[in-house]
Amino acid sequence: MKQTLCFLFALLLAGCSSLPTELESSQAAVITEYSAFSAAAEHSRPSEVRLGGVVARIDNLKTTTRIEVVNLPISSAGKPDIAQEPNGRFVVYFDGFIDPVTYAKGRLITVLGQSNGIEKANVGDFLYSFPVITGTAIHLWQVQEYVVTNDFNMSYMPCTGSRCLHQRSIESRRGKVVQEVK
C-alpha cells in the first residue's frame, strides 16, 4: 500500500512539471537564464541554451527563419513565466521555413539550441545587441484564461437579517481572471 502511494505521488509530480520531449537535452549543463546566456554569447563560448519568451518578430529568409524573442524567465518545465518582467531580447535561427502565422508576434515559445555570438540589429531606431541561438527545437505555448469566483454557498453561513442579504449579493459576485501557460 505504501509503495503504491509513493508511486502515485511520484507520477503526479512528474506529470505536473515535465519538460516537453523536444526541449530535452542530452547535455547535463544547459543554460536557462538570460544573463548567463548573454555572457556566454558575448565571450563566444558555445553552450547549449534553453530560453523562452514572447515572439517579437519573425522573418523567413532564403534558407533560414529568424525569430526575435523578448525573453521571459522559464520554469523547470520550460514554460515562460508571464508574471515576470522581460529581461532582454535574443534572436534564434532555425533551418528552413517556419510559418509566421503559427509563430506570430505575441505568441509564447521556448527554444533549445546552441549559443552563437552576438548580432547587432535595430529595435525601432535603437541599435540593439542580440545574443544569438542556432535553434534545434521549438515549443509553442498557449495562455489559457479562466475565472475564479468567490461563489461559495452563503446558505450554509449562520446569518440572518439585512446584513446577510447585502453580504450575499456582493461577495458571491467577486472573482478574478487567472492566466496559465499550457
Side-chain angles (χ1 to χ4, degrees):
M1 177 71 171
K2 200 178 215 184
Q3 289 177 336
T4 305
L5 286 176
C6 287
F7 173 73
L8 290 175
F9 183 70
L11 189 62
L12 177 69
L13 285 178
C16 291
S17 65
S18 61
L19 187 67
T21 55
E22 66 268 20
L23 296 176
E24 291 177 356
S25 173
S26 59
Q27 295 185 8
V30 177
I31 296 175
T32 59
E33 292 183 9
Y34 180 79
S35 57
F37 162 58
S38 183
E42 279 186 31
H43 295 96
S44 298
R45 288 191 306 254
S47 306
E48 186 143 51
V49 179
R50 182 184 310 117
L51 291 175
V54 180
V55 174
R57 182 177 175 167
I58 182 167
D59 296 307
N60 281 297
L61 308 172
K62 192 170 191 168
T63 59
T64 61
T65 299
R66 179 186 186 273
I67 304 175
E68 184 180 314
V69 181
V70 178
N71 183 70
L72 291 171
I74 60 172
S75 68
S76 61
K79 295 178 184 180
D81 187 351
I82 58 176
Q84 298 291 322
E85 288 294 319
N87 51 12
R89 291 176 180 239
F90 64 91
V91 170
V92 59
Y93 285 92
F94 285 98
D95 289 334
F97 175 81
I98 293 181
D99 194 337
V101 173
T102 304
Y103 293 89
K105 181 178 180 178
R107 298 292 306 265
L108 291 174
I109 63 170
T110 301
V111 298
L112 178 70
Q114 292 289 322
S115 64
N116 195 9
I118 299 287
E119 170 185 301
K120 298 223 184 246
N122 286 340
V123 176
D125 289 334
F126 183 78
L127 185 62
Y128 192 87
S129 296
F130 290 95
V132 177
I133 299 174
T134 302
T136 56
I138 187 168
H139 186 83
L140 186 63
W141 301 96
Q142 292 183 0
V143 176
Q144 293 182 345
E145 293 184 339
Y146 56 94
V147 177
V148 176
T149 60
N150 187 13
D151 61 352
F152 55 89
N153 191 348
M154 293 296 288
S155 63
Y156 294 120
M157 301 295 284
C159 183
T160 58
S162 63
R163 183 181 143 266
C164 291
L165 292 175
H166 174 71
Q167 187 177 18
R168 286 183 188 153
S169 66
I170 292 176
E171 286 190 13
S172 63
R173 292 189 179 112
R174 291 186 183 164
K176 66 179 180 176
V177 176
V178 177
Q179 293 181 329
E180 189 174 303
V181 178
K182 295 272 184 178

